[in-house]
């Protein structure tokens, strides 16, 4: 399955015991048997509340196990090849997040057609290596705008992959800064008050954290191109 492949891909960069899997309650039994996944590394969302609560729950759970954790958030529905190239870019993301604790790292896909179904990352100044500052998050554009993004080239615009690397503590600090009620409720859930989950607003990680972080003086958002 794509999930099995995603777990295998993650283990090319980190040991299997450091792979965590987040899933909805309705998928608990289906994902519990994924090869190589430790039962203690399964994080279950009581219900779907969009990506911000899901990611915050994962980061709070991991942080409780490792206060120094630097975490990659990867999707389970992508086919990414070659895996070795992806692993090298992921390593670069870890290095950047470790070196600059206030940075939230995302990954951008080099566009090859004017897609109106993907969000875009507008890039600013260069950072270390191939990393660039993300100056603006662009929502799914109309066709003329998408054609303009494509024409500007990958040094200016990348597709937003929805994958990230950051210190768990940094992401939770950003949640506290930009979506404090979500952060507080997630902490209650992690402490055992599962009923608090139903009070959490449905909110995406891009809208709730990444967009405000990109214009914040406290945090920075950087992009690495997947190419």
């Amino acid at each position: 399955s794509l999930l099995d492949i995603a777990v295998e891909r993650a283990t090319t960069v980190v040991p299997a015991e450091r792979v965590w899997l987040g899933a909805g309650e309705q998928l608990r039994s289906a994902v519990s048997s994924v090869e190589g996944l430790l039962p203690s590394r399964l994080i279950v969302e009581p219900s779907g509340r969009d990506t911000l609560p899901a990611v915050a729950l994962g980061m709070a759970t991991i942080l409780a196990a490792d206060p120094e954790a630097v975490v990659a958030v990867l999707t389970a529905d992508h086919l990414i090849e070659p895996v070795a190239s992806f692993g090298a870019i992921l390593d670069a993301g870890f290095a950047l997040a470790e070196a600059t604790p206030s940075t939230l790292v995302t990954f951008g896909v080099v566009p090859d057609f004017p897609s109106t179904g993907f969000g875009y990352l507008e890039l600013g100044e260069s950072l270390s290596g191939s990393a660039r500052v993300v100056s603006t998050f662009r929502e799914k554009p109309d066709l003329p705008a998408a054609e303009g993004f494509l024409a500007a080239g990958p040094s200016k615009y990348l597709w937003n992959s929805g994958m990230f690397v950051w210190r768990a503590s940094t992401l939770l600090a950003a949640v506290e800064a930009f979506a404090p009620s979500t952060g507080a409720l997630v902490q209650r859930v992690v402490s055992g008050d599962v009923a608090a989950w139903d009070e959490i607003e449905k909110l995406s990680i891009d809208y709730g954290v990444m967009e405000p972080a990109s214009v914040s003086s406290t945090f920075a958002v950087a992009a690495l191109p997947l190419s």
Side-chain angles (χ1 to χ4, degrees):
S1 70
L2 285 175
L3 177 56
D4 291 319
I5 293 170
V7 172
E8 290 175 6
R9 187 165 56 238
T11 58
T12 66
V13 180
V14 300
E17 62 269 19
R18 288 171 58 187
V19 175
W20 297 69
L21 177 61
E25 178 62 49
Q26 73 276 17
L27 295 175
R28 180 194 291 266
S29 60
V31 304
S32 295
S33 60
V34 171
E35 186 175 354
L37 178 70
L38 297 179
S40 61
R41 297 295 188 258
L42 178 61
I43 302 169
V44 178
E45 302 167 59
S47 62
R49 310 302 294 171
D50 213 326
T51 52
L52 176 53
V55 169
L57 177 65
M59 295 306 103
T61 303
I62 294 170
L63 189 68
D66 179 4
E68 301 299 321
V70 181
V71 186
V73 179
L74 308 176
T75 53
D77 59 352
H78 286 163
L79 184 62
I80 303 174
E81 296 177 333
V83 172
S85 297
F86 176 74
I89 296 168
L90 191 54
D91 276 335
F94 275 118
L96 182 57
E98 288 167 356
T100 55
S102 63
T103 299
L104 306 172
V105 182
T106 187
F107 299 92
V109 178
V110 175
D112 57 8
F113 71 97
S115 173
T116 59
F118 298 141
Y120 289 72
L121 307 172
E122 184 174 351
L123 306 180
E125 65 185 80
S126 295
L127 298 171
S128 61
S130 61
R132 300 281 297 277
V133 169
V134 175
S135 59
T136 310
F137 283 78
R138 301 279 188 163
E139 298 298 329
K140 298 175 183 178
D142 58 22
L143 184 57
E147 290 173 338
F149 296 163
L150 182 66
S155 64
K156 186 64 176 177
Y157 292 98
L158 299 170
W159 286 334
N160 185 358
S161 73
M163 296 187 289
F164 312 95
V165 175
W166 44 49
R167 290 178 179 267
S169 57
T170 299
L171 187 280
L172 291 173
V175 173
E176 184 177 347
F178 305 123
S181 62
T182 294
L185 289 166
V186 165
Q187 292 297 338
R188 283 173 53 187
V189 173
V190 172
S191 297
D193 181 8
V194 179
W197 185 261
D198 291 334
E199 301 177 40
I200 297 176
E201 176 187 6
K202 291 185 177 182
L203 195 61
S204 75
I205 189 74
D206 280 345
Y207 183 77
V209 167
M210 300 303 286
E211 291 185 17
S214 69
V215 294
S216 165
S217 60
T218 304
F219 304 93
V221 178
L224 284 165
L226 292 170
S227 59

